[in-house]
Amino acid sequence: MDEVPLNMHEPSKSKLLKNAWRQSKTVRRIGLNNAVDFYELMTAPIAKVMNKWFESDVLKATLGTDGVIGFAASPYDTGTGYVLLHHVLGGLDSRSGTWGYVMGGMGAVSDAIAKAARSHGAELFTDQEVSSILVDNGRTKGVRLRNGSEVHADTVLSNATPRVTFEKLLDKSILSPEFLSAVKSTDYTSPVTKINVAVRELPSFSCRQNASNTPQPHHQTTIHMNCESMEVVHEGVNDFRGGRWSRRPVIEMTIPSSVDRSLTPDSTSHVISLFTQYTPYALKDGPWNDERKDQYAKHGTALSYA
């Protein structure tokens, strides 16, 4: 996973052979059998991977959602095995495959980065749109803001997408046609709609009803819905590919306030995040106007509390 993929278009044959030899040593180190399993995981549909290891349809589909989460693909599509691997590579507190909540909300991450940057002498400009990246003799030298002022720097880091960075902020004449073609061909298709809601009390599930408003262990985890089987997930993808939102969207619910009480003004209310898919960026039968957005929000929350 740490090796740079082979560039089969590498013009230097000696360099290509050298890189291929380096990667072959990795295969020999992990063993041929493990290499075959690893290759299958990297290329196979997540449905095939789950079928190999589990029997329960509910368990296979629930675990398999990590192979399609944020990905406009079906569990029967190739490459979804790698997406699962990608989501379990990380860890927290020396435990692999785990996730966590940021105390104070996700904005606390930005605040921490800003504080660290300022401690090293950085200046932060907020609400200042960048109109272009300044270039001199083939090297970046800063940025020009929308108000016309310039900020000079030896290095420019862009957190915008490649298309915005290289097609809108930079003078395209300094970039090669091959590079621009690669940027234009980048697929940003996303099937996700995020819904954030505030509720008066913790949700109570028919399979695990609340005895009180005190958060229970299942409230502090990721709660999966509409993934009783791989076929249910696949049907949602078919809706998406037909230009409609999923009739039964895959939903991952988290309740950050069940862990961090600083997120709400009192001891009973909670904030809930619904990560839903599949929703097309462009609907087949009309635009995403306010009415449609409201319809989908009600659709997603109704299914969450069904």
Side-chain angles (χ1 to χ4, degrees):
M1 291 296 293
D2 295 330
E3 296 286 350
V4 177
L6 281 177
N7 178 12
M8 301 308 294
H9 300 288
E10 170 60 55
S12 171
K13 290 185 178 180
S14 61
K15 189 174 182 180
L16 177 61
L17 290 173
K18 181 180 179 181
N19 291 338
W21 173 252
R22 186 183 67 248
Q23 294 200 6
S24 71
K25 290 194 294 184
T26 301
V27 173
R28 292 196 300 273
R29 186 170 64 249
I30 66 176
L32 183 59
N33 290 336
N34 290 334
V36 171
D37 290 339
F38 178 70
Y39 179 80
E40 180 181 61
L41 180 60
M42 293 289 285
T43 59
I46 191 60
K48 181 178 180 180
V49 177
M50 292 293 106
N51 286 335
K52 181 177 180 179
W53 292 99
F54 302 100
E55 296 179 355
S56 165
D57 286 338
V58 173
L59 184 59
K60 286 189 288 188
T62 301
L63 295 176
T65 57
D66 271 346
V68 297
I69 192 73
F71 188 22
S74 161
Y76 300 116
D77 289 344
T78 57
T80 49
Y82 162 73
V83 180
L84 172 68
L85 177 62
H86 172 83
H87 280 97
V88 299
L89 278 177
L92 188 67
D93 293 336
S94 301
R95 291 179 294 176
S96 61
T98 57
W99 297 73
Y101 293 108
V102 177
M103 302 303 286
M106 291 303 296
V109 177
S110 300
D111 291 340
I113 294 173
K115 183 178 179 181
R118 288 193 179 100
S119 71
H120 289 277
E123 294 182 68
L124 303 184
F125 299 82
T126 58
D127 297 320
Q128 298 290 334
E129 183 181 355
V130 173
S131 61
S132 63
I133 296 175
L134 302 174
V135 178
D136 184 29
N137 291 325
R139 293 186 61 85
T140 56
K141 66 172 187 177
V143 297
R144 179 176 291 111
L145 304 182
R146 185 64 65 188
N147 62 15
S149 61
E150 296 183 355
V151 180
H152 293 167
D154 294 331
T155 303
V156 175
L157 302 178
S158 174
N159 194 40
T161 66
R163 286 184 185 173
V164 171
T165 301
F166 298 113
E167 293 187 337
K168 295 184 178 181
L169 299 181
L170 267 177
D171 180 359
K172 290 187 287 187
S173 66
I174 67 173
L175 302 172
S176 70
E178 294 80 11
F179 181 81
L180 284 174
S181 177
V183 170
K184 290 180 179 179
S185 64
T186 303
D187 186 1
Y188 291 103
T189 303
S190 172
V192 174
T193 295
K194 189 80 173 288
I195 304 174
N196 296 312
V197 296
V199 296
R200 296 188 184 92
E201 59 186 18
L202 282 169
S204 183
F205 302 96
S206 58
C207 61
R208 184 66 67 87
Q209 296 187 5
N210 297 346
S212 67
N213 200 42
T214 301
Q216 300 301 306
H218 64 279
H219 290 120
Q220 300 171 339
T221 63
T222 302
I223 302 165
H224 296 252
M225 286 167 279
N226 297 331
C227 47
E228 294 86 349
S229 69
M230 294 286 188
E231 193 58 36
V232 170
V233 180
H234 180 68
E235 289 172 359
V237 179
N238 284 338
D239 289 336
F240 166 81
R241 290 171 175 168
R244 305 178 300 274
W245 62 56
S246 299
R247 286 164 289 182
R248 295 191 64 200
V250 175
I251 299 174
E252 286 197 5
M253 173 192 287
T254 56
I255 312 174
S257 53
S258 65
V259 175
D260 182 5
R261 294 306 301 160
S262 71
L263 300 177
T264 58
D266 54 61
S267 60
T268 58
S269 59
H270 285 273
V271 291
I272 294 176
S273 176
L274 302 174
F275 193 98
T276 77
Q277 62 183 78
Y278 299 81
T279 50
Y281 186 78
L283 293 169
K284 181 179 180 180
D285 56 354
W288 275 103
N289 53 30
D290 290 341
E291 181 181 1
R292 289 293 182 83
K293 293 176 183 178
D294 187 58
Q295 287 176 351
Y296 182 75
K298 291 178 179 178
H299 177 62
T301 52
L303 288 171
S304 302
Y305 282 85

